[in-house]
Amino acid sequence: MKGKLKYEGKGKALYTTETDGELIQVFKDDATAFDGKKHDVIAEKGELNCAISSWFFEKLQEAGINTHYVKREGSVEMRIKELEMMPVEVVVRNVAAGSICRRLGLEEGMVLERPLTELFYKDDALGDPMINTEHCELFGWAKADDIRAMRQLARDVNRILSDLLENVGIRLIDFKLEFGLLDGEIVLGDEVTPDGCRLWDIETGRKLDKDVFRQDLGGLSEVYHEVANRLGINI
Ligand code: UDP
């Protein structure tokens, strides 16, 4: 049962529950980009993201990844374990796209020789700047050992997600993960949805992720439906 609102972000809200240490994560229909400068409400997006994220978390847990997922509780509601979140975003890249192209002058679509992990400080006002392990340690955002564990987990998640998506003709270009601590252990939190991934059709290169919204390439819910359908996820 949903209790009090604990936190509200751009795409999700968190509520307390009757059980200590458990929260309900609600997926909203809001879509934002460019630090909230572009905003829209997209029918069914919350439901699609809740279904897709639940499905991915179940697959990750089956593969032995420790996640905050407990169960899907309703059409837009997911029950999760409460974590002490770290203010660090871990991005894994298989192919150059987005900010790395702007930063390093790479061409979009360049295949990286091996997966690359990057760290960003989660702070909207600062535009989520890129950081390294030393910043995390110096400013107390995360311990070096925890960063090492997060990078390794992110690489494991990359292999699992890449295989699942490749089976349905989708290439995982890059994605963002957030982690937290539970009883001293690193646990995968947040969400795994096309909002936080780049997904390209392997045959045509068509974008099947939030870039469709960022770049005005068409209907967002249509492409999220397509991702869900291909993976065999019931909405
Ligand atoms: N990403 C995200 N939230 C953020 C920043 C990035 O989910 O606050 C995801 C983004 O969707 C992409 C990956 O992380 O799949 C890498 O994003 P990038 O650094 O290229 O930044 P962007 O081009 O999205 O600004």
Side-chain angles (χ1 to χ4, degrees), residues 89 91 93 97-100 102-103 120 128 174-176 195-198 214:
E89 299 184 338
V91 166
R93 301 181 188 275
S99 72
I100 196 171
R102 296 191 292 273
R103 249 182 295 126
F120 295 88
D128 294 349
D174 60 31
F175 60 97
K176 183 262 304 178
D195 275 5
C197 302
R198 284 196 170 89
R214 292 190 190 98

Coordinates of all heavy atoms in Angstrom, one line a residue, residues 89 91 93 97-100 102-103 120 128 174-176 195-198 214, ligand 1:
E89 N 26.2 8.6 -11.2 CA 25.6 7.9 -12.3 C 26.8 7.1 -13.0 O 27.8 7.7 -13.3 CB 24.9 8.8 -13.3 CG 23.8 9.6 -12.6 CD 23.0 10.5 -13.6 OE1 23.6 10.8 -14.7 OE2 21.9 10.8 -13.3
V91 N 27.7 5.3 -16.4 CA 27.3 5.1 -17.8 C 28.2 4.1 -18.4 O 29.4 4.1 -18.2 CB 27.4 6.4 -18.6 CG1 27.3 6.2 -20.1 CG2 26.3 7.4 -18.1
R93 N 29.2 2.4 -22.2 CA 29.1 2.7 -23.6 C 29.7 1.5 -24.4 O 30.8 1.1 -24.2 CB 29.8 4.0 -24.0 CG 29.3 5.2 -23.3 CD 30.0 6.4 -23.7 NE 29.7 7.5 -22.9 CZ 28.6 8.3 -23.1 NH1 27.8 8.1 -24.1 NH2 28.4 9.3 -22.3
A97 N 27.9 7.7 -28.8 CA 26.7 8.5 -29.1 C 26.6 9.5 -28.0 O 27.2 9.4 -26.9 CB 25.5 7.6 -29.1
G98 N 25.8 10.5 -28.2 CA 25.5 11.5 -27.1 C 26.7 12.3 -26.7 O 27.5 12.7 -27.5
S99 N 26.9 12.4 -25.3 CA 27.8 13.4 -24.8 C 29.3 13.0 -25.1 O 30.1 13.9 -25.2 CB 27.6 13.5 -23.2 OG 28.1 12.4 -22.6
I100 N 29.6 11.7 -25.3 CA 31.0 11.4 -25.5 C 31.4 11.9 -26.9 O 32.6 12.3 -27.2 CB 31.3 9.9 -25.4 CG1 32.8 9.7 -25.3 CG2 30.7 9.1 -26.5 CD1 33.2 8.3 -25.0
R102 N 30.2 14.7 -28.3 CA 30.3 16.2 -28.1 C 31.7 16.5 -27.4 O 32.4 17.4 -27.7 CB 29.2 16.8 -27.3 CG 27.8 16.7 -28.0 CD 26.8 17.5 -27.2 NE 26.4 17.0 -25.9 CZ 25.5 16.1 -25.7 NH1 24.8 15.6 -26.7 NH2 25.2 15.7 -24.4
R103 N 32.0 15.6 -26.4 CA 33.2 15.9 -25.5 C 34.5 15.6 -26.3 O 35.4 16.3 -26.1 CB 33.1 15.0 -24.3 CG 32.9 15.7 -23.0 CD 32.9 14.7 -21.8 NE 31.8 13.8 -21.8 CZ 31.9 12.5 -21.8 NH1 33.1 11.9 -21.7 NH2 30.9 11.7 -21.8
F120 N 29.4 10.1 -13.5 CA 28.9 11.5 -13.5 C 28.3 11.8 -12.2 O 27.7 10.9 -11.5 CB 27.8 11.7 -14.6 CG 28.2 11.5 -16.0 CD1 28.3 10.2 -16.6 CD2 28.7 12.6 -16.7 CE1 28.8 10.0 -17.9 CE2 29.2 12.4 -18.0 CZ 29.2 11.1 -18.6
D128 N 25.0 17.6 -14.2 CA 25.6 16.2 -14.1 C 27.0 16.1 -14.7 O 27.2 15.4 -15.7 CB 24.7 15.1 -14.8 CG 23.4 14.9 -14.1 OD1 23.1 15.5 -13.0 OD2 22.5 14.3 -14.7
D174 N 24.4 2.4 -25.3 CA 24.9 2.9 -24.0 C 23.7 2.9 -23.0 O 22.6 2.8 -23.4 CB 25.5 4.3 -24.1 CG 24.6 5.4 -24.6 OD1 23.4 5.3 -24.3 OD2 25.1 6.3 -25.3
F175 N 24.0 3.1 -21.7 CA 23.0 3.2 -20.7 C 23.6 3.7 -19.4 O 24.8 3.7 -19.2 CB 22.3 1.8 -20.5 CG 23.2 0.7 -19.9 CD1 23.3 0.5 -18.6 CD2 24.0 0.0 -20.8 CE1 24.2 -0.5 -18.1 CE2 24.9 -1.0 -20.4 CZ 25.0 -1.3 -19.0
K176 N 22.6 4.2 -18.6 CA 23.0 4.8 -17.3 C 22.4 4.0 -16.1 O 21.3 3.6 -16.2 CB 22.5 6.2 -17.2 CG 22.8 7.0 -16.0 CD 21.8 7.1 -15.0 CE 20.4 7.6 -15.4 NZ 19.5 7.5 -14.3
D195 N 14.3 5.1 -21.3 CA 14.6 6.5 -20.9 C 16.1 6.7 -20.6 O 16.7 7.8 -20.8 CB 13.9 6.9 -19.6 CG 12.5 7.4 -19.9 OD1 12.0 7.4 -21.1 OD2 11.8 7.8 -19.0
G196 N 16.7 5.6 -20.1 CA 18.1 5.7 -19.7 C 19.1 4.9 -20.5 O 20.2 4.6 -20.1
C197 N 18.6 4.5 -21.7 CA 19.5 3.6 -22.6 C 19.4 4.2 -24.0 O 18.5 4.9 -24.3 CB 18.9 2.2 -22.8 SG 18.7 1.3 -21.3
R198 N 20.4 3.9 -24.8 CA 20.3 4.1 -26.2 C 20.1 2.7 -26.9 O 21.0 1.9 -26.6 CB 21.4 4.9 -26.8 CG 21.4 6.4 -26.5 CD 22.3 7.2 -27.4 NE 22.1 8.6 -27.1 CZ 22.7 9.3 -26.2 NH1 23.6 8.8 -25.4 NH2 22.3 10.6 -26.0
R214 N 14.0 13.4 -27.5 CA 15.1 14.5 -27.5 C 15.2 15.2 -28.9 O 15.3 16.4 -29.1 CB 16.4 14.0 -27.1 CG 16.6 13.5 -25.7 CD 18.1 13.2 -25.4 NE 18.3 12.6 -24.1 CZ 18.4 11.3 -24.0 NH1 18.5 10.5 -25.1 NH2 18.6 10.7 -22.8
Ligands
UDP1 N1 21.5 9.2 -19.3 C1 20.4 9.2 -18.4 N2 20.3 10.2 -17.5 C2 21.2 11.2 -17.4 C3 22.2 11.2 -18.4 C4 22.4 10.2 -19.3 O1 19.6 8.2 -18.4 O2 21.0 12.1 -16.6 C5 21.6 8.0 -20.2 C6 21.3 8.4 -21.6 O3 20.0 8.1 -21.9 C7 22.2 7.6 -22.4 C8 23.4 7.4 -21.5 O4 23.0 7.7 -20.2 O5 21.7 6.3 -22.7 C9 24.6 8.2 -21.9 O6 24.2 9.6 -21.9 P1 25.2 10.8 -22.4 O7 26.3 10.9 -21.4 O8 25.6 10.4 -23.8 O9 24.3 12.1 -22.3 P2 23.2 12.7 -23.3 O10 23.6 12.6 -24.7 O11 22.0 11.8 -23.0 O12 23.0 14.1 -22.7

